[in-house]
Amino acid sequence: MTAPVIRSLTRPTDLAAIAAFLAEEAADYYLLAEGAAPGPKAAEAFFTDCPPGCDPALSHRLGLFLGDRLAGLAELSFGFPTATDAYLGLMILSPAARGQGLGRSFLTHVETLARTAGSPRLYLAVLQANPRGWAFWTRAGFQPTGVSRVDNEHGLNHVIHRLVKPLHP
């Protein structure tokens, strides 16, 4: 297997690759989360979406590459739920890249960025309807915060749970 490379993504350079990845490799997640395949605006949203109160310009937009093929995306923001916290808004791997330890490597990279920024905790949200995601995050040391909500944005009544992992130096 080719050694993975993780690098920052930019709109001018990587938008087309992100759009293709979302349509071809992440459709299963979008079908679960939104009830439909990702539309043409999903790649643009990758560069602008972030949690409330966060500055998208300060977020990390990351790609995990196997050779020249984009095999994963992650978005890391700062300032939610408190000013010092980090928030992993998205981390997704292509089906072919799952189950090989690449998710753990990608997460380790994200955690290093959060620690370097001085964040004491890393938060994320997981859909209750995604038991494989829940299992991955809890194996990686994330714990429920007790904060959950029902999201009906796409008419699916998803229960979303917030998880947290302390980031020790």
Side-chain angles (χ1 to χ4, degrees):
M1 176 170 74
T2 304
V5 172
I6 300 169
R7 69 166 174 82
S8 293
L9 301 173
T10 65
R11 187 189 178 289
T13 303
D14 300 303
L15 185 64
I18 293 166
F21 175 84
L22 292 175
E24 298 165 15
E25 304 290 349
D28 62 337
Y29 176 78
Y30 278 82
L31 288 170
L32 173 68
E34 299 181 4
K41 295 183 181 182
E44 286 283 351
F46 176 74
F47 289 104
T48 58
D49 285 353
C50 64
C54 295
D55 181 352
L58 301 178
S59 297
H60 292 278
R61 315 294 171 157
L62 304 169
L64 181 140
F65 290 83
L66 296 175
D68 61 355
R69 185 172 178 87
L70 182 59
L73 293 175
E75 180 275 322
L76 175 66
S77 294
F78 300 97
F80 183 83
T82 72
T84 60
D85 291 321
Y87 192 89
L88 182 57
L90 175 72
M91 189 176 103
I92 189 165
L93 297 177
S94 68
R98 296 175 195 160
Q100 301 177 43
L102 296 171
R104 184 71 205 136
S105 296
F106 207 8
L107 179 58
T108 298
H109 184 87
V110 167
E111 290 174 356
T112 299
L113 292 172
R115 280 188 193 93
T116 300
S119 297
R121 292 169 296 276
L122 178 60
Y123 286 85
L124 57 84
V126 64
L127 296 171
Q128 184 169 303
N130 184 1
R132 289 187 68 206
W134 181 276
F136 173 81
W137 297 120
T138 57
R139 278 193 314 271
F142 285 84
Q143 298 295 316
T145 64
V147 175
S148 298
R149 66 182 175 86
V150 175
D151 178 10
N152 194 26
E153 182 178 345
H154 302 285
L156 301 173
N157 290 319
H158 279 302
V159 176
I160 301 173
H161 302 285
R162 188 180 300 163
L163 305 180
V164 64
K165 181 176 183 177
L167 299 174
H168 302 292

